[in-house]
Amino acid sequence: MQKILIVEDDPKISNLLQAYIKDYGYSVVTVQAFDRVLEEFRAYNPDLVLLDINLPSFDGYYWCRQIRLESVCPVIFISARTGEMDQVMALENGGDDFITKPFHAQVVVAKIRSHLRRAYGEYAAKGQERKMTLKGLTFYPERLELLYGTRKVTLSAKEAGIIEHLMDRFPRVSGREDLLETLWDDQTYVDENTLNVNMTRVRKKFSDLGLDDTVETVRGAGYRLNDVWEEDRES
């Protein structure tokens, strides 16, 4: 049974989410001590976190950063804040998705199911670990790791999904709509800027490997990998 941790200080909303998500067969725990969110996270070891922004002691951005120091499990922000910058901040601080209040419980469950599939490879071939290689670049989807030479970076589930799509399509263009449909099953609810933010994070991960200008924006079409690292190997 997959485990969901709810970090929400409004008891009415927290209890509503807990009851609804349990009906779909998940194990659900709600945080009680909002000054010890990380401790409760460690104790429960959830597969996914639903995280509010406005919390006592420290906000959700802070707790998401703390979680990201230890885990790449999906984190979905749920907040009454509706500004574009709030969504950008959530993603920049390590979140994978953003749902605004008031919300439809069905949408929350749909997003939970989608993120769990993407993060833990429900559709991946069983047995041997999947591995993608491209001209010296190595990607492990199930580990959420990308390697080049002796360098390695850890990815969020969304970053891993984007990189897998780009590598699979190389050298073709990955269309924006294709990426949205692949990464967010219920793309109707996704702000266009969400993909832009995630692409920025993917570019940063390539940069951490010493690979700049790797993701090329094809105006009016989408994105594709630019194998600049091949030039580095040949020089």
Side-chain angles (χ1 to χ4, degrees), residues 10-184:
D10 185 327
K12 184 177 179 180
I13 295 176
S14 180
N15 292 335
L16 170 67
L17 285 170
Q18 184 178 31
Y20 197 87
I21 295 169
K22 276 186 174 180
D23 284 345
Y24 282 81
Y26 297 105
S27 172
V28 187
V29 164
T30 60
V31 165
Q32 302 299 317
F34 292 98
D35 57 341
R36 297 198 300 273
V37 171
L38 192 59
E39 292 177 36
E40 297 201 28
F41 173 86
R42 290 168 177 163
Y44 187 52
N45 190 27
D47 297 296
L48 182 144
V49 178
L50 293 177
L51 180 62
D52 191 13
I53 294 177
N54 294 326
L55 296 169
S57 301
F58 299 98
D59 63 21
Y61 301 141
Y62 170 82
W63 289 119
C64 190
R65 292 195 302 272
Q66 301 312 301
I67 290 170
R68 281 289 169 258
L69 294 175
E70 309 185 2
S71 173
V72 293
C73 80
V75 175
I76 302 177
F77 278 90
I78 298 182
S79 176
R81 300 186 185 184
T82 59
E84 182 176 282
M85 187 51 61
D86 295 308
Q87 298 186 42
V88 171
M89 286 288 292
L91 296 171
E92 288 291 347
N93 280 278
D96 295 287
D97 211 333
F98 193 101
I99 301 173
T100 56
K101 301 175 185 176
F103 53 80
H104 293 288
Q106 296 94 329
V107 172
V108 176
V109 172
K111 284 183 176 287
I112 288 173
R113 296 173 69 178
S114 175
H115 281 282
L116 290 174
R117 287 197 300 268
R118 303 300 177 191
Y120 304 109
E122 179 179 318
Y123 297 140
K126 307 302 181 188
Q128 187 175 1
E129 181 181 17
R130 289 196 302 143
K131 174 183 176 182
M132 298 178 70
T133 59
L134 179 63
K135 300 183 178 182
L137 193 67
T138 304
F139 171 54
Y140 292 96
E142 287 138 352
R143 298 187 202 177
L144 301 177
E145 291 179 352
L146 185 65
L147 295 81
Y148 181 69
T150 59
R151 298 186 181 184
K152 177 177 72 175
V153 293
T154 300
L155 309 165
S156 71
K158 280 287 182 283
E159 293 163 357
I162 290 172
I163 289 172
E164 181 171 359
H165 201 283
L166 291 171
M167 290 182 69
D168 185 60
R169 293 282 297 174
F170 178 85
R172 295 168 294 166
V173 173
S174 293
R176 293 181 64 88
E177 291 186 4
D178 291 338
L179 284 165
L180 286 169
E181 184 176 355
T182 299
L183 300 173
W184 291 276

